[in-house]
Amino acid sequence: MLIGELAAATGMARDTIRFYEKRGLVTGERRANGYRDFPPEAVPWLLYVRTAQTLGFSLAEIARIGAELRDAPDSAERLSALFEEKIRVIDGRMEELARMRRELVARVGDGCPLTVS
């Protein structure tokens, strides 16, 4: 399928697909005329990439996860484990942000808020 067809099937811009291709997330064969020819399985994969991004995964993580899932005997189980790992990362970041917020609140009205306390 040509990039325009892939864009229509996924609801993504052609530039987005080209960007993903440059990052190695999707590959298309070059035809003799220079056009990209993407396999049909690129559609669900790109939708997976978009969903993973909305869940907070970086493109580097998605590339790594994709490789891991292709090699995992039970990808649903491995995906659940990856989600649990991501939840731990998010929880740690939330704790860090809460600590920073408490520190900022404590410094409000303290004269120079950037002095060491």
Side-chain angles (χ1 to χ4, degrees):
M1 100 179 30
L2 299 176
I3 194 167
E5 296 167 322
L6 184 56
T10 60
M12 295 180 185
R14 292 175 184 174
D15 286 342
T16 301
I17 296 168
R18 288 183 190 106
F19 177 76
Y20 289 159
E21 187 177 27
K22 286 179 187 171
R23 299 290 306 259
L25 291 168
V26 66
T27 56
E29 299 286 327
R30 288 285 183 173
R31 291 181 173 182
N33 61 7
Y35 290 2
R36 293 173 184 87
D37 188 18
F38 295 93
E41 54 271 8
V43 174
W45 170 247
L46 286 176
L47 295 174
Y48 168 84
V49 168
R50 183 57 53 94
T51 300
Q53 280 186 291
T54 64
L55 293 173
F57 289 90
S58 69
L59 291 179
E61 288 173 315
I62 294 167
R64 180 181 54 82
I65 290 168
E68 287 181 28
L69 292 177
R70 282 189 287 275
D71 297 334
D74 181 358
S75 60
E77 184 177 315
R78 180 62 185 131
L79 192 55
S80 290
L82 290 166
F83 286 172
E84 289 172 357
E85 288 174 30
K86 191 62 164 179
I87 290 167
R88 282 190 292 279
V89 169
I90 291 169
D91 287 345
R93 183 69 177 137
M94 288 173 61
E95 289 172 15
E96 180 183 334
L97 289 170
R99 182 196 52 76
M100 289 170 51
R101 185 181 190 290
R102 286 190 302 274
E103 184 69 25
L104 287 167
V105 168
R107 290 174 182 251
V108 170
D110 255 2
C112 181
L114 299 180
T115 58
V116 178
S117 56

